Every structure is written in structure tokens, then in C-alpha cells.
């Protein structure tokens, strides 16, 4: 039966009245087939008993019986149509409004009839003269939303004044004086805007794809840097462990050597004493034998030789000197400390070399300088001039504190620069937040946006950390290195020549731009007249 359905076209299974697949088909005397309910209703409405196709009249109303053969074929076709519809119609697609039972996918929507049609039910619009003039468009859902609620007419215009869709009658009433254009014209303009918006979205997508790639590369670089740092750490601490183990081994060997030497001395003395004991026992036996002798002549002759043999060594002079272990551990620790100190110096030098890779060219910003400060023309040095100059007001200028900032700022990443402080007895160096106060007296600490280090009285180095931290410095730095890692929240000060670290602010939370901070302090009658000078570290090859 299913094979037969494939040999027949779709039109063989459609009722000429409802244009749908037969339901309870009947055959009338002229040979045409209809749904039983369709032909019955047709005769009732028209009050004529005639064929709906060929118009043949029947004097006597035919008795209608379901054609089982056609019914079975129609059922087969209906199942095939259901399967095809389930395959063709996808979720969200517009369905035919005329189909009963299983609805097929709509191919067109009529803006006049406000209905959507599948291929079969669209034929009436393509063949009937009165329907050919209707406006057919691609399948649309919710056609009722396109009808003006005030006039029950299709909204085919757009009011640019009120930014809304309207019908023809709306333009003659509420929107009579408004700027109204056809929907297509407005859509064309909106499509142009959409193209521009789409291009912007595409550009944004491209930018974000690049950012994703950049972040992935950053993660990879961070991963490689972390592995390198861990490898360096393992190497360093392995070396330190080996040094400690070597020091311990040498300490143990030294103690063992002392103990072995003492034991040998004792063994030699014991051996010698045992030999004397053996000789003395021999002489003792001779003495006892001579005591028992009745030969007076022999006794007297042997007596003097026995006395002579008694001249043995004085055993009281045999003394075993105990080795002194006092200070052995302390000396070993001191030697290890010296070795570690040399290793630490090399590590610090390597660390300084590493941060110097982020060296930048820093110049002073005269617009921020206190009126008593003199900034060189090249922006590389500053000193106190004693006399306050009459400068125009500038909100960026420090009004009370003798401070000047660098022009360069940092809001991400890392930077490093060096400042020569030779010949000075006082200075302040560091970084400051862009939003930190520059007017009036200033309390320098991280809470107010200042991360600074200062020298006072020529030898007191203090980190202004609130509370202040007095630093222990072996030698006076002649050049101070400044390193900042924005993301890590790190501000470090280095003795650039001794390759030693002076102090680090750690765990800082930066939310603003950071600027280099310089204060040469007061001249103090010429004792502190030397300038602060930014060195050209960025020109060196590290």
C-alpha cells in the first residue's frame, strides 16, 4: 500500500473543498471524491445537490458511503505527510494556519488575510484572481501584532516623531503632522545602522579575541617565568643545603681528627707504660729471688745493679691533654655564614640585574616642583634653591613640601630607575599615588598614597611605613635603585652599587597611577646642597 502512495501525487489525496487530505472520503455518482463532512456541508449551504467540481446535478441526493480504498490510501499519505512535516518543520518555524491535524511548514504569509500558508494552501492565492493581489511575504509569526489596535488596519508606516509603527488611518488622525515614512524606507535606514553596529560588534569580537590571545600568551609567559624562578630557587637552595651539609661534614671530620690524635697519644703512652710494667715485674722477681738467697757475696754483687735498674721514667709526667672543642661549632657556623654571605651577595646582584631590565627613562616634571626647588633643563637633577620663586598657581604643584615628581607614570607592569644621592645628608625617594594630596603639610605613608624611604642626619635610613621602620645599612648608598611591580603591589629600594636591597613595601594595593617621588630636602647651610640626580641606567646593557 505504501508503494502505491509513492506513485500518486499530492493532489490525488486532497479534498477539493477543504484542500486537505481526505478524512472519511466518499465517492459521488460523477466519480469525484470529497470528505464526507465537506460535501454534506456544501450541499446544506448551497441547498443544491450537485458536484462541487463538475457541477453535475443530482435529482436524488446520493447515499454516501466511505470509500475504504481511498480512505486507506489517504491514511497512508497522511502518515507520510506527518513524517515529512516532522522532518521539515523545525522548532520555531511558522506553521500553516489552514492545515488541520498535523500542520505543515508555512512558505508564505499574507498581510491581507493575516494568515500563513503551506505550499498546498497557498495555491488559492496563486490561482484565484481575487487573491492574487494580496501582499505575500516570507512566513511571519504573530501576524495579529501587525494590525493597528485602533483601526484594525495593517501597520505599514513608521512615525519617526513618535518612533512607532502606524497604519494609514493613524497618519490622518493622531499622527497627521508627524514625520511618517513607509516601513521599508525606515527599515532600510535601520539596516544601514545595523550594518554599522554589526561592524562595531565584529571589531569588538576581534579585539576581545586578540585580548584572549594576549591573556593566554601572558599566562604562558607567567608559567614559563614561574618554572624558571622555581628552577632557580631549587638550584639556590640545593646549593645552600650542600654548603650546610659540607660545613657539617667538615665539622664532624675536624672533631674526629682531634679525637683520633688524642686517642693515639693515649695508646702510645699506655704501650710505653705497659713495657715499663713488664720490665719492673721482671726486676721485682729478681729482687724477691735475691731476698731468699743465702749467698751473701752474690747478694751484694747484684744489689747495686738492681738499684740502677730502678731508675725508670717518672709516670707523673705522662699527661694526656684533652682536646678543646670549645668554639668549634661557632667557628664552623661563622665560616658557613661567610660562605652564605658571599653567595647571598651574588644572588642579590643577580636579582638587581633582573629588575634593571625594566629600567625606564625618568625625567622630572617642573610643574609639580615646590617653588624653592630648581629643576635642571634636561629634567635629570633637582636641588634646593633656598629662595622661593614666584610661580603661577598650579594644582599639581607641591605647596609646602620640597618635592618634585617624575613626568612618567605607571598604572600596570614594572619599572626601574636609579637616583644618585652622593654627598647628601638628607633625601626622600619613592613613588606617590596620582590622587595623593599635594597641598599643605603631608604625612608620608602608604595610607596617604606615599611609599617612600628617607635619609636623615647622614646615617639614619627610615622607611615611612606607619609605623616607621629604622633600617640597618652596612654602608651609605651612593646610588639608590627604585623598582615597582604594580600588579604584585611591590615597591623596592636597592643599593645599586653594593647590589643590596634596602627595603621593600609588599602587599600594596595600587588603584591609581604611580609617579616617581623626589625630595632633595633643605640645604642646611650648604651641608645638604648636593642635588639628586637621575642616572642613565636605562642606557646600560643588562
Amino acid at each position: 500500500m505504501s508503494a502505491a502512495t509513492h506513485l500518486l501525487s499530492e493532489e490525488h489525496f486532497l479534498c477539493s473543498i477543504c484542500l486537505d487530505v481526505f478524512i472519511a472520503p466518499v465517492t459521488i455518482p460523477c466519480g469525484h471524491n470529497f470528505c464526507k463532512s465537506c460535501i454534506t456541508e456544501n450541499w446544506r449551504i448551497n441547498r443544491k445537490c450537485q458536484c462541487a467540481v463538475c457541477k453535475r446535478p443530482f435529482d436524488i441526493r446520493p447515499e454516501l458511503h466511505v470509500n475504504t480504498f481511498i480512505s486507506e490510501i489517504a491514511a497512508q499519505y497522511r502518515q507520510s505527510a506527518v513524517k515529512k512535516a516532522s522532518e521539515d518543520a523545525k522548532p520555531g518555524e511558522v506553521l500553516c494556519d489552514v492545515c488541520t491535524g498535523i500542520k505543515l511548514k508555512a512558505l508564505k504569509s499574507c498581510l491581507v488575510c493575516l494568515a500563513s500558508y503551506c505550499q498546498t494552501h497557498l495555491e488559492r492565492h496563486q490561482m484565484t484572481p481575487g487573491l492574487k493581489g494580496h501582499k505575500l511575504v516570507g512566513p511571519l509569526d504573530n501576524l495579529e501584532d501587525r494590525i493597528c489596535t485602533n483601526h484594525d488596519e495593517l501597520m505599514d508606516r513608521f512615525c519617526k516623531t513618535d518612533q512607532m509603527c502606524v497604519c494609514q488611518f493613524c497618519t490622518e488622525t493622531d499622527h497627521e503632522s508627524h514625520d511618517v515614512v513607509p516601513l521599508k524606507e525606515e527599515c532600510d535606514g535601520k539596516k544601514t545602522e545595523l550594518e554599522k553596529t554589526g561592524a562595531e560588534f565584529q571589531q569588538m569580537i576581534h579585539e576581545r579575541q586578540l585580548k584572549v590571545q594576549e591573556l593566554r600568551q601572558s599566562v604562558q609567559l607567567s608559567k614559563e617565568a614561574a618554572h624558571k624562578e622555581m628552577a632557580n630557587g631549587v638550584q639556590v637552595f640545593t646549593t645552600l643545603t650542600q654548603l650546610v651539609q659540607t660545613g657539617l661534614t667538615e665539622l664532624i671530620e675536624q672533631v674526629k681528627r682531634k679525637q683520633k690524635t688524642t686517642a693515639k697519644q693515649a695508646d702510645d703512652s699506655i704501650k710505653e707504660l705497659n713495657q715499663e710494667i713488664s720490665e719492673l715485674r721482671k726486676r721485682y722477681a729478681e729482687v724477691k729471688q735475691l731476698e731468699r738467697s743465702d749467698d751473701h757475696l752474690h747478694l751484694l754483687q747484684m744489689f747495686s745493679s738492681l738499684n740502677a735498674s730502678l731508675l725508670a721514667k717518672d709516670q707523673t709526667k705522662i699527661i694526656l691533654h684533652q682536646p678543646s672543642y670549645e668554639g668549634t661549632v661557632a667557628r664552623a657556623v661563622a665560616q658557613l655564614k661567610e660562605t652564605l654571605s658571599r653567595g647571598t651577595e651574588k644572588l642579590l646582584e643577580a636579582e638587581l640585574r633582573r629588575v634593571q631590565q625594566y629600567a625606564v627613562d625618568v625625567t622630572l616634571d617642573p610643574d609639580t616642583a615646590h617653588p624653592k626647588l630648581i629643576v635642571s633643563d634636561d629634567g635629570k637633577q633637582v636641588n634646593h634653591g633656598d629662595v622661593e620663586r614666584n610661580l603661577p598657581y598650579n594644582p599639581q604643584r607641591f605647596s609646602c613640601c620640597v618635592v618634585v615628581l617624575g613626568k612618567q607614570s605607571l598604572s600596570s607592569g614594572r619599572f626601574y630607575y636609579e637616583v644618585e644621592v652622593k654627598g647628601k645628608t638628607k633625601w626622600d625617594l619613592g613613588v606617590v599615588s596620582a590622587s595623593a594630596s599635594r597641598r599643605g603639610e603631608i604625612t608620608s605613608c602608604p595610607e596617604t598614597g606615599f611609599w617612600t624611604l628617607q635619609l636623615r642626619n647622614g646615617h639614619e635610613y627610615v622607611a615611612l611605613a606607619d609605623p616607621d621602620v629604622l633600617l640597618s645599612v652596612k654602608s651609605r648608598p651612593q646610588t639608590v635603585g627604585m623598582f615597582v611591580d604594580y600588579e604584585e603591589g611591590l615597591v623596592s629600594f636597592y643599593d645599586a652599587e653594593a647590589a643590596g636591597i634596602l627595603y621593600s613595601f609588599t602587599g600594596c594595593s595600587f588603584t591609581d597611577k604611580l609617579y616617581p617621588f623626589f625630595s632633595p630636602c633643605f640645604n642646611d647651610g650648604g651641608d645638604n646642597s648636593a642635588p639628586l640626580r637621575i642616572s642613565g641606567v636605562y642606557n646600560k646593557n643588562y
Side-chain angles (χ1 to χ4, degrees), residues 64-278:
L64 301 177
H65 299 282
V66 175
N67 189 322
T68 57
F69 177 74
I70 297 177
S71 179
E72 289 179 2
I73 296 177
Q76 290 284 338
Y77 180 79
R78 187 179 294 106
Q79 291 178 358
S80 176
V82 169
K83 182 178 180 182
K84 186 176 184 299
S86 63
E87 292 175 351
D88 292 345
K90 299 177 182 178
E93 291 182 332
V94 179
L95 301 179
C96 178
D97 292 323
V98 181
C99 289
T100 59
I102 300 299
K103 291 183 175 293
L104 300 180
K105 180 175 67 175
L107 297 181
K108 295 287 183 179
S109 294
C110 178
L111 297 181
V112 177
C113 300
L114 297 179
S116 299
Y117 303 101
C118 64
Q119 180 61 51
T120 300
H121 295 115
L122 187 62
E123 291 179 356
R124 293 189 64 193
H125 277 75
Q126 297 171 338
M127 299 173 61
T128 305
L131 300 179
K132 286 183 177 180
H134 288 191
K135 179 67 174 179
L136 296 176
V137 295
L140 299 173
D141 202 4
N142 300 325
L143 288 170
E144 61 275 8
D145 293 340
R146 300 172 181 270
I147 299 300
C148 176
T149 57
N150 294 328
H151 305 102
D152 290 329
E153 291 290 331
L154 179 68
M155 293 187 293
D156 58 355
R157 291 166 173 77
F158 184 79
C159 177
K160 302 183 75 171
T161 304
D162 293 335
Q163 291 293 301
M164 61 183 296
C165 296
V166 296
C167 70
Q168 179 181 356
F169 292 104
C170 289
T171 63
E172 299 172 359
T173 55
D174 296 340
H175 301 268
E176 182 179 6
S177 60
H178 293 180
D179 183 8
V180 179
V181 297
L183 280 181
K184 185 178 184 305
E185 179 180 333
E186 182 65 18
C187 286
D188 289 342
K190 288 294 188 288
K191 285 181 179 179
T192 302
E193 294 182 16
L194 288 174
E195 289 179 3
K196 181 180 178 181
T197 302
E200 292 175 353
F201 280 136
Q202 192 65 26
Q203 179 63 25
M204 292 170 66
I205 291 170
H206 179 66
E207 291 173 354
R208 280 152 180 77
Q209 288 175 335
L210 291 178
K211 178 59 69 173
V212 168
Q213 184 178 359
E214 178 185 337
L215 290 173
R216 286 175 176 168
Q217 291 176 347
S218 298
V219 169
Q220 182 61 30
L221 291 175
S222 175
K223 185 177 180 180
E224 292 173 359
H227 286 166
K228 182 179 179 181
E229 194 68 15
M230 286 188 291
N232 290 338
V234 170
Q235 182 180 0
V236 168
F237 279 91
T238 299
T239 302
L240 293 176
T241 303
Q242 291 173 347
L243 289 174
V244 172
Q245 187 61 47
T246 300
L248 176 60
T249 301
E250 290 179 355
L251 170 64
I252 293 174
E253 289 297 325
Q254 182 180 357
V255 173
K256 285 182 176 181
R257 284 195 298 271
K258 285 187 175 183
Q259 193 275 333
K260 188 175 181 180
T261 300
T262 301
K264 186 176 183 306
Q265 292 175 350
D267 288 344
D268 292 344
S269 298
I270 290 172
K271 183 177 180 180
E272 183 178 353
L273 288 171
N274 284 334
Q275 290 177 348
E276 290 186 2
I277 290 171
S278 179

Side-chain angles (χ1 to χ4, degrees), residues 249-310:
T249 301
E250 290 179 355
L251 170 64
I252 293 174
E253 289 297 325
Q254 182 180 357
V255 173
K256 285 182 176 181
R257 284 195 298 271
K258 285 187 175 183
Q259 193 275 333
K260 188 175 181 180
T261 300
T262 301
K264 186 176 183 306
Q265 292 175 350
D267 288 344
D268 292 344
S269 298
I270 290 172
K271 183 177 180 180
E272 183 178 353
L273 288 171
N274 284 334
Q275 290 177 348
E276 290 186 2
I277 290 171
S278 179
E279 185 66 26
L280 288 172
R281 284 176 176 171
K282 180 179 177 182
R283 294 293 182 265
Y284 175 73
E286 292 177 354
V287 168
K288 299 303 290 184
Q289 184 179 4
L290 197 59
E291 277 184 19
R292 294 190 297 270
S293 176
D294 293 332
D295 187 344
H296 302 296
L297 178 62
H298 177 69
L299 187 148
L300 293 175
Q301 289 176 340
M302 296 298 294
F303 182 80
S304 57
S305 62
L306 288 173
N307 277 339
S309 64
L310 293 175

